[in-house]
Amino acid sequence: MATSGRSALLSSTSAGTKNTLESSNTEEEDGQDLWSTILSEVSTHSRSKLPSGKNVLVMGEVGSGKTTLVAKLQGIEEYMKGRGLEYLYFSVHDDDIDDQTRCNAWVLDGDLYHKGLQGVAVPVDSIGDTLLLITLDMSRPWNALDSLQKWAAVAREHIDKLRVAPETLRELEHRLVKQFQEYTEPGSGEDGTPQRRSEDEESVLLPLGDNTLTHNLGIPVVVVCTKCDAISTLEKEHDYRDEHLDFIQSHIRRFCLQYGASLVYTSVKEMKNLDILYKYLVHRLYGFPFHCPAQVVERDAVFIPSGWDNEKKIAILHENFQTVKADDSFEDVVVKPPVRKIVHEKEIQAEDDQVFLVKLQSLLAKQPAVTAGRPVDTTSRAPTGSPRTSNRSAAANVANAMPQSGQTSEGVLANFFNSLLTKKAGTGGPGTPGGGNNTPGTVRKSGSKLGLGDVQAELDRISSRESDSDLPNANETPATDSQDT
């Protein structure tokens, strides 16, 4: 009995020890599973870091604001514009995994001579990580359609030269079509989350329209209209109205529909829609959530994401047309204004003072010398067009009438009376009407003319005065001669 009890006790003790060992092993296994779970999560987070090597290829005309736009996205104010192919970047930060990276931004020169440099920015192995951004200068909208078609053709030519594998290219095109079809409008809730689609809606995708994605490049395309603050200038200087702006927008949206592109109106000067553009680029390249709805109300702040637009929505713009039609040619409605010729005035540069004086000296040396005692003709110095005649003219006439050497009394009298006849009556001073030295008996009314009798009486008076003045002169002459001897 004792032996059997002892054996039972030993068996129970061994069983308890075995159970204890099994429970401890289970706890160790649970701890190992916990650590393996933590390690797997860490490795998963390390693998889910933001990818590097994403590219944004920027194209556009010269002066359309390509470099300025990317510099604003980068957050810098001062930058140096390059030539050919510029490299910039903008930072991308993910708060959920606390990681950041840089998105490469390659700015192609507006001169088509440098279009071959696209191979440096977008090689064949990074075609799937590239987004094409075409800038459009809204201060010159008459070039809009030609510019879009030109740069889209440049991108198409480059992709064809890369010789991408057909399977890869088809995959890229299918991904772009799927993204366009799966677009959902962000919800109107407070969190701004997109409207969730049911399982039936997710399985069924709507077919594309007739003019949708007919030119599939295989890479996302974003059309950015820059300098939208110039719309007010177009209205003032070029008489643009709302229907003209809607006409331009409709043609741009048709182009975007053909390439599956997005459309953003921006203004660096007014910092308009730059934040939306940055968020949308990060959304398309890195898959960040994006909750901004389409904006078509403000004419200078339009935003249309890829997949939202269609032909019916574009036709809404045609309802406001009055003087233009939807099927009118773009060049006929949006006419390029005539170029104003800028006349540059020729700059006149003054020569050195010494050089001018030398030239003046040489000119004076060539002129003939003036002889001494030569009478000077003063008739050219007489003022012309004077509003009134001064009394000095009458005194000068009297002085000229005095006898001079070499002149006879008849000539003096003739000159004197000729001056009186030619002088207008009433211009003399007060008390001397008629402008002459009249005796009290010959005073005339203002405005009367000299008669023949007056002229004869004046001649007799002056001749008698001259005869009286000649007698003393004759008597003084011998005395003077005797003193000289």
Side-chain angles (χ1 to χ4, degrees):
M1 291 293 292
T3 304
S4 61
R6 187 180 298 167
S7 60
L9 180 62
L10 290 174
S11 61
S12 62
T13 303
S14 60
T17 304
K18 184 177 180 180
N19 292 332
T20 304
L21 292 174
E22 289 178 355
S23 63
S24 62
N25 292 334
T26 304
E27 291 178 357
E28 289 180 358
E29 290 178 356
D30 292 340
Q32 290 178 358
D33 292 340
L34 177 62
W35 280 108
S36 62
T37 303
I38 293 173
L39 291 175
S40 63
E41 289 180 356
V42 171
S43 62
T44 302
H45 279 292
S46 63
R47 288 195 300 269
S48 63
K49 286 185 177 181
L50 292 174
S52 59
K54 299 288 185 178
N55 301 298
V56 176
L57 180 60
V58 184
M59 297 182 181
E61 300 293 335
V62 177
S64 60
K66 303 183 294 294
T67 307
T68 305
L69 179 66
V70 179
K72 285 294 181 181
L73 295 178
Q74 186 177 351
I76 59 176
E77 296 294 336
E78 297 181 359
Y79 54 90
M80 295 293 294
K81 290 186 178 181
R83 186 172 179 82
L85 183 67
E86 300 177 71
Y87 172 77
L88 293 92
Y89 67 90
F90 53 89
S91 301
V92 180
H93 184 77
D94 190 353
D95 296 331
D96 295 337
I97 61 176
D98 193 17
D99 188 24
Q100 68 178 17
T101 186
R102 289 181 176 180
C103 181
N104 304 318
W106 303 90
V107 182
L108 185 65
D109 196 292
D111 190 355
L112 291 178
Y113 176 79
H114 305 284
K115 65 180 182 179
L117 298 175
Q118 296 176 87
V120 178
V122 186
V124 63
D125 55 349
S126 65
I127 186 66
D129 298 326
T130 302
L131 181 143
L132 176 62
L133 190 150
I134 303 177
T135 58
L136 196 64
D137 189 356
M138 282 301 291
S139 64
R140 296 173 291 178
W142 43 86
N143 298 329
L145 210 56
D146 292 339
S147 179
L148 288 173
Q149 294 172 355
K150 179 178 74 172
W151 294 110
V154 171
R156 175 84 269 177
E157 180 183 359
H158 174 67
I159 294 174
D160 294 341
K161 288 183 178 180
L162 289 177
R163 296 181 180 179
V164 184
E167 298 80 8
T168 305
L169 190 59
R170 280 196 297 269
E171 182 181 353
L172 293 175
E173 293 175 353
H174 179 70
R175 184 176 67 178
L176 201 63
V177 172
K178 185 179 179 181
Q179 181 273 333
F180 193 94
Q181 291 175 326
E182 291 180 348
Y183 173 80
T184 55
E185 184 75 14
S188 59
E190 295 181 357
D191 55 353
T193 55
Q195 298 175 352
R196 293 187 176 182
R197 303 170 63 183
S198 62
E199 294 181 358
D200 296 336
E201 290 178 346
E202 290 181 356
S203 60
V204 177
L205 296 177
L206 296 176
L208 298 177
D210 295 336
N211 297 323
T212 305
L213 275 173
T214 56
H215 301 73
N216 194 339
L217 298 178
I219 59 176
V221 181
V222 178
V223 176
V224 178
C225 296
T226 59
K227 304 179 184 180
C228 290
D229 52 278
I231 291 179
S232 59
T233 306
L234 293 174
E235 293 176 338
K236 294 178 182 178
E237 297 183 358
H238 302 288
D239 196 22
Y240 275 50
R241 296 186 296 274
D242 290 340
E243 60 177 349
H244 295 96
L245 300 176
D246 292 341
F247 183 83
I248 295 171
Q249 184 187 141
S250 65
H251 277 266
I252 296 176
R253 287 170 64 175
R254 284 178 182 174
F255 172 88
C256 293
L257 204 60
Q258 293 175 357
Y259 286 84
S262 309
L263 177 61
V264 188
Y265 278 35
T266 63
S267 173
V268 174
K269 183 178 180 180
E270 299 178 355
M271 299 296 292
K272 188 171 293 184
N273 275 358
L274 296 180
D275 186 47
I276 292 179
L277 176 62
Y278 172 79
K279 291 180 180 179
Y280 189 74
L281 293 178
V282 172
H283 163 69
R284 294 300 301 270
L285 289 172
Y286 297 93
F288 282 22
F290 184 75
H291 307 306
C292 297
Q295 301 175 6
V296 293
V297 178
E298 298 183 14
R299 59 185 180 181
D300 57 348
V302 176
F303 169 64
I304 300 176
S306 176
W308 179 87
D309 211 358
N310 54 42
E311 290 285 351
K312 293 183 179 180
K313 293 178 180 179
I314 296 176
I316 298 176
L317 296 173
H318 303 162
E319 298 176 358
N320 299 326
F321 291 172
Q322 296 178 358
T323 60
V324 299
K325 297 180 181 179
D327 54 354
D328 287 345
S329 175
F330 187 83
E331 293 78 9
D332 295 338
V333 177
V334 187
V335 182
K336 182 178 179 180
V339 180
R340 299 178 180 177
K341 295 183 179 180
I342 301 176
V343 179
H344 297 282
E345 295 183 359
K346 187 177 181 180
E347 183 179 359
I348 301 175
Q349 186 174 3
E351 59 184 352
D352 187 66
D353 294 343
Q354 296 299 325
V355 176
F356 171 73
L357 292 175
V358 170
K359 291 182 179 180
L360 186 60
Q361 184 181 9
S362 62
L363 290 175
L364 292 175
K366 294 179 181 180
Q367 292 182 357
V370 180
T371 58
R374 184 178 179 181
V376 179
D377 187 8
T378 58
T379 56
S380 59
R381 300 182 182 179
T384 58
S386 177
R388 60 188 179 89
T389 305
S390 65
N391 294 333
R392 295 181 182 178
S393 61
N397 292 334
V398 174
N400 292 332
M402 294 301 293
Q404 298 178 1
S405 62
Q407 291 185 354
T408 60
S409 60
E410 290 81 7
V412 174
L413 293 175
N415 292 334
F416 175 75
F417 286 106
N418 285 332
S419 63
L420 289 178
L421 293 174
T422 55
K423 186 175 181 298
K424 291 183 179 181
T427 57
T432 58
N437 293 329
N438 299 321
T439 58
T442 59
V443 176
R444 299 178 305 275
K445 294 182 179 180
S446 176
S448 63
K449 296 183 179 179
L450 288 174
L452 184 58
D454 296 335
V455 174
Q456 186 65 35
E458 192 70 20
L459 286 174
D460 295 341
R461 184 180 62 83
I462 293 176
S463 60
S464 62
R465 185 181 297 177
E466 288 181 355
S467 62
D468 294 340
S469 61
D470 290 340
L471 292 176
N473 292 335
N475 296 329
E476 291 176 0
T477 302
T480 306
D481 295 340
S482 62
Q483 289 179 1
D484 294 336
T485 57

